[in-house]
Amino acid sequence: MLNLFCKIHNFQKSAFKLFSFVLFLFLLNQSFAQLFAKENWKEFLEALENRQYYEEALDYLDSISNDPNTDSQILTELPDRIAKIKQKVSNKSKESVQSPNLSYKNINALSDSTIPNETLNLESSQSDLTSLKNLDQINSFYEAVEQCNILFAALVKLNNEKDSNLSEESNSKKNEQKKNLALQLDQAIRLALTLSERPETLEAERKNNNKTVLRDSSNKSLEMQILNLRFQWAYLSLILERNEDAMILGTYIARNNADFSNVISAAEIAMQSCKNLYTEFQNDPDFSSEDRTQSFLFINDKIAEFTDFILSNWNSAQSPEKQEFIQKILLFRINIAISSNNIEIAQQFLQQLSDSSDLKAIGELRFGLALWIKWLENAQKQENDQNLSNEFENENAVTDIEKQSELLNQAKTFLDSGLHRKIELNNGFDRVDYLSSYSALILANILFLQNDFDAAWQWLNHPQIGPNTLTQESILASKGIASAQNNDSTGESNDSEANKTVVLPDFLDESFQTKTLILALRLYINGQQFDKAEETINDLESFYTSNKSELVLVYIQIGKQLEDQIRQLSQSSSKDQLTEITTTFELFLDRLSNKSDENDYMTLRWIGDTYMSFGKGLFGSLTEPSEEAQNYFIKAGRIYQKIRKKIQGDPHWAGIDNAETATVLRLSQCLCAIGRQEKALPLLIELLEQSESILELQIEAANVYQSMGRNNKENYIRAIVGEYKKENGQNLVWGWNGIIYRISRKINDQSQLTDYFYEAITNKMSCRYSYIRALNDKNEIAKQAKNAEKELLRFQQTYPDLGGINWKKKLEAQLKQFRRLQGQINPQGF
């Protein structure tokens, strides 16, 4: 029901805003049961219906019908009202169109705190659950309070029990028991709040401060009893995932009852429920774009209001518990700022964290990881802008290498500080957690990029949290071998230790270990520890024995990393470092490739892809590859030829689908890079005759014709319209036009084709531009440039978003090129 609170605060009419505010205060100070019995229930219901909040209206009516205090006259009217609202819901669902969901960054880091327990101040009553009464047997407020205290104590005890060693079935039973206890407590609190308004309760409170009426375990004023009931209600609401209720009640108690014994726990509940709501509104697919945005903004506002209040009003508190909670609030705000990509705000809150707090280390690690992600995003943007600048003379290309270097240094500084702070504050690592191990992995990657290989190894192999330490333990455990840490000084296994079950952290999954082994492989090769490097390759392949397609993606990832590193070094002044990297890698690859009888498809594929990555990295933005780059393309081509011969000799040798197609595609790219397109084309045609519909082959064939256009402009036309007539008169090679036409019929259903589609459009327009520039007649140049401009504008009308910012930049740059060919100075884009 309380979903309406988030929506109520978005109402535009001032009258309804006032109504919602009054309702908000009313619910905080009255029981829900009392609200249901009031005469204004119809007005409230109509207000919900007028705003089309039908689900909340149905929840509201359901609560009224189930409340024992609801007037019988009201009950007779409910069925008709419920039927009418359900009909409205049905009509609305038929008319509505699902709006696309907004996407937000994942903030798993927010959900790292548990339901508060240490600071709970339980009532003195700890009676056994067998002393509970049926609710209909309870006649006084004080009996109801005692019932609540018993249930609350049992719920807290059950909630605080460690369940890490429970089976899935036992854990499920425990959760069900916890839920049942919370529901019983919920009913008891509702009854207690209802009884608190009875005349006899108020009279007993008035007489002698309840000394003759209240039990010893409940010797508190009525006002304090009600406050404690609200706190219990906040606690159970959090357990029952009624996060709106928990947020409102917890916030109210924390803001207005500074001396309440459980005020810190109430604040904890408010903070945890805010975290839950924040994540819920991010991930709920049922919200329309507008609702989701408004709800998300509402929760953001509530978080800011509550946390700002705590930071302002509790900062001078002498209580160590309140100071500790302030540290949690600061870390919470850091996480929120990071998830909103507001790095500057996150750093401001980070500076306020106490150096003596464990949370400062967590904040530094999360902030360092956020800087690393920002560095990666900027690197990708710079690569895209650099490619755009090289191809289309983009005047807005971003090449701020110094800024990127500073960002990487900052990430390193915060990660290093956070890890060392954890070691100092905890005298080492008492447990292996994901944040620490993942931070060590990223820090090792940064150090590797900065050529500090010894420091990279130290973090990768840290004895407690080192990613490679954990990965090697996992590999040994999977082979049934005891780790080195379980061996005695003689090097032999200690039986008592070796027989123990190795407990590895949950986060040590295939993805984490793969990232670790990739970095270890590069470090081994860099240090010319080739035996270790081969062992690492074998470890990598062992993860993917049943899914070699995934292993191909891993090797492509390694190749892309190498290509990027070589490109950056070739563009900088680090020629000695570039030579060292390529030389050591080449020694290792040559060593592997000479073992021709031992190498399987995956090993040869990785060798070829790595040579080609070297060639691409050295090629960079040059018009023609250097001699060194050509040599790497030649080496890669020889490896691919070797692979193809093996596949032709034994179609099952590769053990992976489409291995020959993938090999021919790469061989074609190598041949084109060294200017041997005439040898690449027959290889593609041979496969296309067997299967014309392989999109990657069609794209490569069009690319080959396009690259041949530099020697003969008619090949630009062939790249666009296709070539090789079949018996039915259609072209075997589709060309960019054929590719665009075929993808356009599927692009709405298959989003993965989007990049192929816009790549084809961009390449077609590049062919048109290159062909027009090769003409000699100025009038003909202007005429054809005008036609190309019109085609781009028609395309933009059909696809207004132009595939997103990156493709739009490329297409806009092409539009300006065609306008320049018509004589325009400083032409405009779309």
Side-chain angles (χ1 to χ4, degrees):
M1 171 188 165
L2 284 177
N3 270 334
L4 64 94
F5 276 108
C6 292
K7 295 180 177 179
I8 272 178
H9 282 263
N10 297 322
F11 288 172
Q12 300 300 313
K13 294 183 179 179
S14 59
F16 210 87
K17 283 185 177 179
L18 177 60
F19 170 76
S20 65
F21 178 69
V22 173
L23 172 65
F24 175 76
L25 295 179
F26 187 77
L27 286 178
L28 289 175
N29 292 279
Q30 303 288 333
S31 71
F32 289 124
Q34 290 172 302
L35 175 63
F36 300 150
K38 298 297 182 182
E39 294 296 330
N40 65 348
W41 73 275
K42 290 183 180 180
E43 288 79 2
F44 180 65
L45 183 64
E46 288 173 0
L48 291 174
E49 290 184 68
N50 290 338
R51 305 303 298 183
Q52 295 188 2
Y53 293 150
Y54 299 133
E55 292 180 8
E56 288 79 358
L58 289 172
D59 287 344
Y60 181 52
L61 291 177
D62 182 62
S63 300
I64 293 178
S65 63
N66 290 325
D67 190 270
N69 297 304
T70 301
D71 187 89
S72 59
Q73 179 61 34
I74 296 176
L75 290 175
T76 60
E77 300 181 41
L78 294 185
D80 183 57
R81 298 301 294 262
I82 291 173
K84 288 181 179 179
I85 294 176
K86 286 184 176 179
Q87 183 60 45
K88 290 180 180 180
V89 173
S90 177
N91 294 338
K92 184 180 179 183
S93 63
K94 292 177 182 178
E95 298 170 0
S96 65
V97 178
Q98 183 72 27
S99 300
N101 290 324
L102 298 179
S103 60
Y104 294 92
K105 288 189 175 181
N106 189 308
I107 55 163
N108 288 333
L110 293 182
S111 56
D112 60 355
S113 67
T114 58
I115 295 175
N117 50 69
E118 292 87 352
T119 57
L120 282 176
N121 182 18
L122 300 179
E123 293 295 305
S124 59
S125 174
Q126 299 288 333
S127 302
D128 189 84
L129 289 175
T130 56
S131 64
L132 291 176
K133 298 180 180 180
N134 292 328
L135 294 185
D136 56 6
Q137 296 177 334
I138 296 177
N139 298 314
S140 73
F141 169 71
Y142 309 108
E143 288 180 318
V145 168
E146 181 71 9
Q147 184 98 339
C148 292
N149 291 339
I150 294 171
L151 287 167
F152 182 63
L155 179 61
V156 171
K157 180 180 178 182
L158 184 63
N159 190 56
N160 291 344
E161 286 180 356
K162 303 297 182 181
D163 53 8
S164 58
N165 296 323
L166 292 179
S167 65
E168 185 176 344
E169 181 180 359
S170 298
N171 197 45
S172 177
K173 288 181 179 179
K174 176 186 171 182
N175 289 333
E176 187 64 26
Q177 184 181 2
K178 188 163 56 175
K179 180 179 178 181
N180 289 334
L181 269 176
L183 289 172
Q184 290 181 62
L185 178 59
D186 184 51
Q187 293 175 348
I189 291 173
R190 291 173 186 270
L191 176 61
L193 290 174
T194 301
L195 293 172
S196 70
E197 292 295 317
R198 290 192 174 181
E200 57 267 28
T201 304
L202 299 175
E203 180 64 18
E205 170 69 11
R206 186 183 67 79
K207 288 182 177 179
N208 199 24
N209 197 26
N210 293 327
K211 288 182 180 179
T212 61
V213 180
L214 290 177
R215 301 186 180 192
D216 292 338
S217 61
S218 304
N219 192 16
K220 291 185 177 182
S221 69
L222 178 62
E223 181 182 352
M224 188 56 64
Q225 292 282 13
I226 292 175
L227 178 60
N228 201 59
L229 289 172
R230 287 190 183 130
F231 170 71
Q232 293 177 5
W233 209 351
Y235 186 90
L236 73 87
S237 295
L238 189 61
I239 289 177
L240 292 174
E241 298 181 0
R242 298 175 184 170
N243 290 304
E244 295 98 332
D245 299 40
M247 178 190 71
I248 292 170
L249 291 165
T251 301
Y252 174 80
I253 294 170
R255 289 176 67 98
N256 297 284
N257 300 274
D259 297 328
F260 179 50
S261 59
N262 280 319
V263 67
I264 297 175
S265 291
E268 291 266 17
I269 290 170
M271 182 174 69
Q272 185 61 48
S273 59
C274 284
K275 293 179 182 181
N276 295 343
L277 285 169
Y278 193 94
T279 305
E280 178 184 328
F281 285 124
Q282 281 185 321
N283 301 328
D284 192 338
D286 295 331
F287 281 109
S288 68
S289 296
E290 181 179 358
D291 282 343
R292 189 174 185 177
T293 301
Q294 292 300 318
S295 300
F296 191 78
L297 292 175
F298 170 76
I299 292 301
N300 265 328
D301 289 344
K302 292 295 120 183
I303 290 172
E305 288 176 13
F306 171 64
T307 54
D308 285 347
F309 171 84
I310 296 297
L311 294 175
S312 299
N313 291 273
W314 288 18
N315 194 42
S316 59
Q318 300 299 315
S319 165
E321 292 81 7
K322 285 188 176 182
Q323 289 300 319
E324 182 181 353
F325 184 69
I326 286 177
Q327 298 300 303
K328 293 181 181 180
I329 287 290
L330 288 170
L331 182 61
F332 183 33
R333 292 297 295 269
I334 291 169
N335 292 330
I336 292 289
I338 288 173
S339 71
S340 303
N341 202 26
N342 198 331
I343 300 298
E344 292 76 13
I345 296 297
Q347 188 166 9
Q348 291 176 18
F349 284 113
L350 179 61
Q351 291 170 349
Q352 298 179 51
L353 276 170
S354 170
D355 289 341
S356 61
S357 171
D358 288 348
L359 300 185
K360 181 65 173 281
I362 296 174
E364 286 180 323
L365 294 180
R366 289 183 178 162
F367 187 71
L369 292 175
L371 293 175
W372 165 255
I373 292 172
K374 190 174 182 65
W375 180 85
L376 290 175
E377 291 172 348
N378 287 352
Q380 184 61 53
K381 185 177 185 299
Q382 287 187 7
E383 181 180 345
N384 292 338
D385 288 344
Q386 185 63 45
N387 292 338
L388 193 63
S389 177
N390 295 330
E391 190 173 356
F392 302 115
E393 302 173 2
N394 175 29
E395 62 272 18
N396 296 318
V398 178
T399 56
D400 193 351
I401 298 176
E402 290 184 2
K403 185 175 180 180
Q404 275 292 84
S405 178
E406 180 183 354
L407 192 59
L408 196 62
N409 280 326
Q410 287 180 336
K412 179 182 72 172
T413 298
F414 281 102
L415 290 173
D416 186 79
S417 175
L419 289 171
H420 278 102
R421 190 182 300 277
K422 268 205 157 192
I423 295 172
E424 292 168 5
L425 292 175
N426 299 302
N427 193 25
F429 290 90
D430 54 355
R431 66 184 181 89
V432 180
D433 63 282
Y434 173 76
L435 180 63
S436 298
S437 290
Y438 185 70
S439 297
L441 176 59
I442 298 306
L443 179 56
N445 271 282
I446 293 173
L447 292 165
F448 176 82
L449 290 174
Q450 296 180 335
N451 306 316
D452 194 347
F453 305 124
D454 290 340
W457 265 125
Q458 288 176 9
W459 283 115
L460 204 62
N461 293 320
H462 188 279
Q464 280 84 43
I465 62 165
N468 196 45
T469 303
L470 298 172
T471 297
Q472 293 306 317
E473 286 183 2
S474 174
I475 292 171
L476 290 174
S478 68
K479 297 176 181 178
I481 304 173
S483 69
Q485 293 183 1
N486 289 337
N487 292 343
D488 59 25
S489 59
T490 64
E492 296 181 358
S493 174
N494 183 318
D495 289 338
S496 62
E497 291 294 326
N499 291 329
K500 289 184 178 180
T501 302
V502 178
V503 180
L504 296 168
D506 294 337
F507 63 79
L508 199 65
D509 57 11
E510 194 173 86
S511 174
F512 186 92
Q513 293 182 74
T514 295
K515 291 183 177 71
T516 299
L517 290 175
I518 288 175
L519 180 57
L521 174 62
R522 297 185 67 184
L523 282 165
Y524 281 133
I525 294 174
N526 182 79
Q528 297 192 26
Q529 299 181 43
F530 296 149
D531 290 336
K532 287 284 189 181
E534 288 190 49
E535 290 177 13
T536 304
I537 289 177
N538 292 333
D539 289 337
L540 270 173
E541 293 186 352
S542 68
F543 289 153
Y544 303 95
T545 52
S546 60
N547 193 348
K548 290 189 175 181
S549 297
E550 291 293 326
L551 182 58
V552 169
L553 297 178
V554 171
Y555 284 152
I556 290 174
Q557 179 185 349
I558 298 174
K560 184 66 171 63
Q561 290 177 359
L562 280 168
E563 180 183 335
D564 292 343
Q565 184 181 17
I566 290 171
R567 180 185 294 112
Q568 292 169 7
L569 291 174
S570 64
Q571 293 173 353
S572 66
S573 57
S574 307
K575 301 301 180 184
D576 292 340
Q577 185 185 347
L578 174 62
T579 301
E580 181 180 352
I581 290 176
T582 54
T583 300
T584 54
F585 243 97
E586 193 172 357
L587 285 171
F588 178 63
L589 295 175
D590 287 345
R591 167 178 161 150
L592 282 183
S593 59
N594 289 332
K595 299 179 178 181
S596 56
D597 295 333
E598 301 177 22
N599 289 326
D600 58 9
Y601 166 74
M602 298 307 305
T603 302
L604 287 174
R605 167 72 181 268
W606 183 69
I607 295 170
D609 287 358
T610 305
Y611 278 135
M612 191 161 74
S613 296
F614 284 177
K616 287 182 177 180
L618 292 170
F619 195 159
S621 59
L622 301 176
T623 305
E624 297 290 340
S626 64
E627 182 178 351
E628 187 179 7
Q630 287 193 44
N631 288 335
Y632 285 123
F633 284 122
I634 291 171
K635 283 192 169 188
R638 288 172 180 164
I639 296 295
Y640 295 134
Q641 286 176 330
K642 183 186 294 187
I643 293 174
R644 191 173 186 227
K645 286 180 181 179
K646 286 181 175 290
I647 293 174
Q648 289 175 331
D650 179 5
H652 302 292
W653 171 76
I656 188 171
D657 295 337
N658 302 319
E660 184 176 11
T661 299
T663 302
V664 168
L665 284 171
R666 280 159 177 73
L667 180 55
S668 172
Q669 292 168 10
C670 291
L671 290 169
C672 290
I674 61 175
R676 304 298 295 274
Q677 292 90 338
E678 72 283 355
K679 287 199 171 187
L681 200 53
L683 298 174
L684 299 171
I685 297 299
E686 180 183 344
L687 290 184
L688 285 172
E689 287 174 339
Q690 300 172 26
S691 182
E692 178 185 341
S693 61
I694 299 178
L695 183 59
E696 290 82 357
L697 287 175
Q698 291 287 358
I699 290 174
E700 180 61 20
N703 274 322
V704 171
Y705 276 116
Q706 185 169 340
S707 67
M708 293 169 66
R710 290 195 294 268
N711 299 323
N712 180 356
K713 69 177 185 296
E714 297 304 317
N715 283 320
Y716 289 124
I717 303 300
R718 296 184 179 96
I720 294 174
V721 302
E723 185 62 277
Y724 278 87
K725 294 288 184 184
K726 300 184 296 183
E727 291 182 0
N728 61 6
Q730 295 182 347
N731 289 331
L732 177 65
V733 176
W734 298 342
W736 297 124
N737 275 348
I739 293 170
I740 292 167
Y741 171 71
R742 287 167 175 83
I743 295 180
S744 66
R745 295 181 297 176
K746 300 180 179 180
I747 191 171
N748 292 329
D749 300 325
Q750 301 183 35
S751 58
Q752 65 267 29
L753 294 176
T754 300
D755 282 341
Y756 285 137
F757 181 68
Y758 286 98
E759 178 188 5
I761 292 289
T762 304
N763 284 332
K764 175 187 175 180
M765 303 315 293
S766 292
C767 288
R768 291 197 68 171
Y769 177 74
S770 298
Y771 180 83
I772 294 171
R773 288 194 63 182
L775 297 174
N776 295 320
D777 188 331
K778 290 185 178 181
N779 292 330
E780 185 65 19
I781 289 175
K783 177 183 175 181
Q784 292 208 29
K786 183 64 176 178
N787 291 336
E789 175 192 0
K790 290 179 179 178
E791 182 177 357
L792 272 175
L793 293 174
R794 285 195 301 270
F795 180 74
Q796 190 242 355
Q797 289 177 346
T798 307
Y799 303 96
D801 68 336
L802 295 174
I805 185 65
N806 289 330
W807 290 115
K808 183 176 181 180
K809 281 183 178 181
K810 291 187 177 185
L811 292 169
E812 192 165 52
Q814 289 178 324
L815 179 64
K816 292 180 181 180
Q817 285 181 327
F818 290 123
R819 286 175 171 171
R820 287 191 187 96
L821 289 177
Q822 299 172 59
Q824 294 185 27
I825 300 174
N826 297 324
Q828 299 298 310
F830 290 111

